[in-house]
Amino acid sequence: MSGPVPGTPSLLRAINDRAALLALLDRGPLTRPEIGALTGLSKPTASQLLARLQEAGLVVLDGVREGLPGRTAELYRINPAAAYVGALDVTPDRIEARVADITGEVVGEYTLPTPRRPGGELVERLNAALEGACPPDRLRQVVIGVQAALDPSTGGLGYATAKDMPGWQIPGLVPALSQGLGVPVAVENNVNLAALAEQAHGAARGHSDFVLLWADEGIGAAVVLGGRMHRGATGGAGEVGYMPAPGAPTAREAGRYANHGYQALTGGPAVLRLLRSYGVRGADFRQAVANAVRAVEIAAESTGGSGEAAVRRGEDARAGLRDIAARLAVGLAAITSVIDPGLIVLTGGMVLAGGETLRELVEHELHALTIPRPRLRLSSVEGNPVLAGALDLALDMARDEVFGSTVTASGGSPR
């Protein structure tokens, strides 16, 4: 039997090493006494630990701290070059890449436009995006966000066709990508990644049970229970776009992967048609929603005869937004009845364009339909939440490996 035996010095060293590395990661540069105090180690043990981590290339000196009583204290920090990770957000139009060092500092970003019928192999496109952000041979882990779900029983993508995700329908997808890119790869649903980012940095921070609804061109959800992502037997938990909804065609009429259910009721194209029926215009559904909100705001500020037309437009726009909210609430009511979440986070281009005006309307409509009354919040993650979640996950995976297994029992070098 290999590996350290519980209670042996090698295991205790590994535990202490990890505790010190996490303290440095969380607190920034620290002195030897500070590391000892945070980990509960004696001065000699803390000195041995730091020497071991320096030899392994995980910790480096970061100057000295002056101005304190006694001797000048040396500062130590995590070596940023100990490992690098990559995150990819893949959509039909582009691949967005971001690379960070082990501390989480972003060192490179790149966006690779991809035509609807992309040329070249899948691995070539992914590699080109990573190369644009950082040479991929420096990477320890890559996480890829996709508009689909990885089926754990088959190892392939589900809830997406070859038309939606050209080149991705290959057996043993993750091992094939790992081999092709030359780095361990994880593939995750894009909405799940957005939920991870929201839990770490955004509106769901501190919440162990919540649902995230992504409303954009397409509709999707993520379910977090007990602090863990719930993926389901086929990886499709949260694929609510396919959920039957009142007034929308079902898979029986439209086809399994066609436009039906909740998607047909509340997806971007449906929202644009709906707002146009209320006289609200826009180049796309996001702009139309934003225009509707602005019309409501202008109407609230308008007075007198010259403002009557603006008031009428505002009333029509508000009616259109209320109709959208009612449609969104129908699906959220079904989710709430089954999951009973304490919090629902709304994100995606449609609801973010609607802002607080649309959020309040959705909350009002939902609470009229359900016995539980979960709080609804807008996403507060800045930038691309899918990429942020992918980077967080990649860092967690790389740190588990680097901090847990790179120092040998005798204090040797990284494996």
Side-chain angles (χ1 to χ4, degrees):
M1 182 177 179
S2 60
V5 178
T8 61
S10 58
L11 176 61
L12 295 177
R13 281 195 295 269
I15 293 172
N16 291 337
D17 290 351
R18 183 177 179 83
L21 289 166
L22 292 176
L24 286 166
L25 193 64
D26 183 54
R27 303 291 187 95
L30 296 170
T31 64
R32 185 183 292 106
E34 287 172 337
I35 292 172
L38 289 169
T39 58
L41 299 175
S42 66
K43 289 183 179 179
T45 303
S47 296
Q48 294 170 5
L49 177 149
L50 285 168
R52 188 163 61 245
L53 295 179
Q54 280 185 285
E55 185 180 353
L58 298 180
V59 168
V60 294
L61 282 172
D62 191 49
V64 296
R65 181 176 295 165
E66 299 177 344
L68 298 175
R71 297 173 58 188
T72 300
E74 292 180 327
L75 285 168
Y76 296 86
R77 64 180 173 91
I78 297 288
N79 180 10
Y84 294 86
V85 301
L88 295 172
D89 176 22
V90 179
T91 72
D93 300 313
R94 52 106 179 112
I95 301 174
E96 193 171 346
R98 183 175 295 168
V99 172
D101 62 38
I102 195 70
T103 71
E105 182 73 21
V106 174
V107 298
E109 294 182 302
Y110 183 73
T111 298
L112 177 72
T114 55
R116 287 286 174 170
R117 293 181 177 275
E121 295 294 328
L122 171 61
V123 169
E124 292 178 6
R125 300 196 300 272
L126 298 176
N127 201 53
L130 287 170
E131 283 185 341
C134 181
D137 58 354
R138 305 170 67 191
L139 300 179
R140 182 66 68 101
Q141 177 71 51
V142 170
V143 171
I144 305 174
V146 296
Q147 298 177 349
L150 190 68
D151 189 335
S153 64
T154 65
L157 284 189
Y159 301 89
T161 65
K163 180 181 178 181
D164 300 323
M165 300 283 291
W168 289 81
Q169 282 67 34
I170 56 177
L173 176 65
V174 171
L177 292 179
S178 298
Q179 182 177 5
L181 295 176
V183 59
V185 168
V187 175
E188 179 61 277
N189 172 261
N190 62 337
V191 182
N192 285 350
L193 291 173
L196 292 178
E198 212 66 56
Q199 189 178 31
H201 314 292
R205 190 168 187 175
H207 291 265
S208 59
D209 294 87
F210 71 95
V211 169
L212 179 139
L213 181 73
W214 181 285
D216 201 86
E217 181 83 17
I219 302 293
V223 179
V224 176
L225 301 173
R228 299 175 64 86
M229 187 67 63
H230 179 69
R231 292 180 172 82
T234 63
E239 293 288 345
V240 297
Y242 299 108
M243 181 172 62
T250 67
R252 182 181 292 112
E253 294 89 38
R256 189 178 183 191
Y257 288 107
N259 189 38
H260 62 80
Y262 196 36
Q263 168 68 36
L265 195 69
T266 58
V271 165
L272 181 58
R273 289 193 299 270
L274 180 64
L275 285 177
R276 283 178 174 171
S277 73
Y278 284 92
V280 179
R281 296 292 182 260
D284 58 27
F285 65 90
R286 301 179 191 91
Q287 187 180 41
V289 171
N291 289 344
V293 172
R294 182 59 182 152
V296 171
E297 293 171 346
I298 292 174
E301 299 167 357
S302 300
T303 58
S306 61
E308 289 182 3
V311 170
R312 287 195 298 271
R313 286 194 296 271
E315 289 174 349
D316 289 343
R318 188 171 184 83
L321 290 172
R322 189 180 296 114
D323 202 343
I324 295 170
R327 293 184 177 200
L328 288 169
V330 165
L332 288 175
I335 296 169
T336 298
S337 298
V338 175
I339 304 298
D340 189 18
L343 173 69
I344 296 174
V345 178
L346 302 177
T347 190
M350 181 203 308
V351 291
L352 294 181
E356 276 297 312
T357 300
L358 183 56
R359 185 206 67 79
E360 289 176 2
L361 289 170
V362 175
E363 187 173 66
H364 176 78
E365 294 292 333
L366 175 62
H367 290 177
L369 297 176
T370 59
I371 294 175
R373 293 189 167 192
R375 287 170 293 170
L376 269 68
R377 293 180 182 172
L378 291 175
S379 167
S380 60
V381 175
E382 296 183 0
N384 184 335
V386 177
L387 208 56
L391 194 66
D392 283 348
L393 183 56
L395 285 167
D396 286 344
M397 298 172 75
R399 287 166 182 169
D400 279 345
E401 179 193 353
V402 174
F403 293 174
S405 62
T406 55
V407 180
T408 65
S410 61
S413 59
R415 296 176 190 173

